[in-house]
Amino acid sequence: MTVIVLIFGEVYPKGFAKKHAEGIAKLVNPIIKVIIYIFFPLSWLFEQLSKLVNKLFKKKSEPDSISEDELLTIIDEIEDEGIIKPYEKDLITSAIKFDDIEVKDIVTPRKDIVGVSTKDSVRDIINKFEESKFTRIPVYNESKDNIVGVLYIKDFYSFIISNKSDFNIFNVMQKPLFISKDMRISTILSFLKKKASIWQ
């Protein structure tokens, strides 16, 4: 019954009304007007009671707020109307949902990780930087499951220019930062900003 109610009482009616907003509005407008007139006395009574309670308890009025779902619905509608482009909608939606995204939702799959081994030569590392176009690459020992550091391209080239004959990746790489996959990326971003300010 819950599934049936959700589909036919929530999902389908909202989807149908969204696609035929103008027609549905014209259809239900007379009915809503009748309902407004019928319940006006009751509505007025509750409004007066609400004002009385607010005066008695001196409750400060709060600004009207809009829920996240309502905001996303508005964004969908203005995209359908052509006011914003799809990529702009994706950007806005990502910003709204930013606080809800967890680390596990954005991590790179293990098979797609571009890394260098502690045993790689200087030439191997240069090739890896050139092929990947990354400015920093994780360093692993024996296996990609054992990350031991992060190699920055600026640190790497600065070192090999000044120490051409004695390259040791352990002297160049930086310590990795390990975080939980269940942490929210908004929390991680704040943490990284603090770390960056300390390093500077």
Side-chain angles (χ1 to χ4, degrees), residues 2 8 21 27 32 36 79 82 97 119 131 141 146 151 156 163 174:
T2 302
F8 296 102
L27 178 65
I32 292 176
I36 289 174
E79 185 212 5
K97 293 183 176 181
K119 298 178 182 178
E131 291 171 3
N141 187 21
N146 183 25
L151 184 61
F156 171 69
N163 302 271
Q174 297 187 20

Side-chain angles (χ1 to χ4, degrees), residues 74-93:
I74 293 172
I75 294 170
D76 287 338
E77 289 175 354
I78 61 178
E79 185 212 5
D80 292 340
E81 293 173 4
I83 298 175
I84 62 173
K85 297 178 181 178
Y87 75 89
E88 293 175 323
K89 174 207 166 185
D90 293 338
L91 185 62
I92 297 171
T93 303

Side-chain angles (χ1 to χ4, degrees), residues 79-137:
E79 185 212 5
D80 292 340
E81 293 173 4
I83 298 175
I84 62 173
K85 297 178 181 178
Y87 75 89
E88 293 175 323
K89 174 207 166 185
D90 293 338
L91 185 62
I92 297 171
T93 303
S94 299
I96 295 171
K97 293 183 176 181
F98 185 76
D99 285 338
D100 300 327
I101 301 175
E102 296 181 345
V103 172
K104 61 186 177 184
D105 298 323
I106 64 168
V107 294
T108 302
R110 184 185 182 282
K111 62 182 180 66
D112 297 330
I113 292 176
V114 177
V116 295
S117 170
T118 54
K119 298 178 182 178
D120 283 349
S121 65
V122 171
R123 174 46 57 187
D124 291 333
I125 297 173
I126 292 175
N127 290 339
K128 198 64 69 73
F129 273 122
E130 290 179 348
E131 291 171 3
S132 66
K133 308 299 182 184
F134 294 147
T135 57
R136 65 203 72 178
I137 294 179

Side-chain angles (χ1 to χ4, degrees), residues 19-36:
K19 290 182 180 179
H20 307 85
E22 189 174 345
I24 294 294
K26 290 179 179 179
L27 178 65
V28 301
N29 183 54
I31 302 172
I32 292 176
K33 281 186 176 181
V34 172
I35 294 174
I36 289 174

Side-chain angles (χ1 to χ4, degrees), residues 101-105 179-185 187-188:
I101 301 175
E102 296 181 345
V103 172
K104 61 186 177 184
D105 298 323
I179 55 178
S180 169
K181 65 180 181 179
D182 296 320
M183 293 181 69
R184 297 189 183 279
I185 61 173
T187 304
I188 298 300

